């Protein structure tokens, strides 16, 4: 008598696998792949000022943010220097490097900024909440003042 094997449901990728794919897509400026790894209700929370200043970006606002960022820094490099992973949370330390050769949209710095031609380097950390193979939320910690100073933006 032959035993029937149970058909197993495919497992979702681990949170670390999802974030590795996401950051690789970011470094490759692959907006479509990045979007495919975010949940419909995804939120991007930039922590760089007063906690009451801004609400997290929605999935649509996040899509627009990255398209503007990729125009402003078409040669960007996004290097993850450290990752710590749990079942549903991944924390990454990263270094962003890029030359500002495209205009910065007002959604990034609050006003339209013409390209400076300046190459900047910025460190930060992101906390990703992942569930069922999709990123639900990213909370990104970065020093926006350093970004503005490096770009030569008048405060």
């Amino acid at each position: 008598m032959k035993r029937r094997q149970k058909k197993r449901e495919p497992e979702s990728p681990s949170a670390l696998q999802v974030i590795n794919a996401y950051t690789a897509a970011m470094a490759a400026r692959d907006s479509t792949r990045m979007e495919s790894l975010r949940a419909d209700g995804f939120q991007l929370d930039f922590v760089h000022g007063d906690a009451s200043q801004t609400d997290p970006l929605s999935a649509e606002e996040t899509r627009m943010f990255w398209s503007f960022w990729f125009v402003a820094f078409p040669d960007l490099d996004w290097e993850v220097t450290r990752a710590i992973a749990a079942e549903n949370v991944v924390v990454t330390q990263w270094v962003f490097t890029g030359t500002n050769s495209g205009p910065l949209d007002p959604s990034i710095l609050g006003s339209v900024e013409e390209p400076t031609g300046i190459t900047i380097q910025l460190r930060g950390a992101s906390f990703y909440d992942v569930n069922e193979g999709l990123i639900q939320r990213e909370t990104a910690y970065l020093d926006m003042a350093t970004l503005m100073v490096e770009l030569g933006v008048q405060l």
Side-chain angles (χ1 to χ4, degrees), residues 38-52:
R38 295 191 296 253
D40 289 340
F42 174 85
Q43 292 186 326
L44 173 56
D45 186 12
F46 283 115
V47 180
H48 52 69
D50 185 328
S52 64

Side-chain angles (χ1 to χ4, degrees), residues 68-89:
F68 295 142
W69 193 257
F70 293 153
V71 167
F73 297 96
D75 68 340
L76 74 82
D77 181 41
W78 192 273
E79 178 187 3
V80 173
T81 58
R82 184 177 190 195
I84 302 169
E87 185 176 346
N88 293 315
V89 176

Side-chain angles (χ1 to χ4, degrees), residues 1 15-16 33 70 77 83 87 92 128 147:
M1 182 155 95
L16 184 58
R33 177 73 174 133
F70 293 153
D77 181 41
E87 185 176 346
T92 62
Y128 296 95
L147 172 66

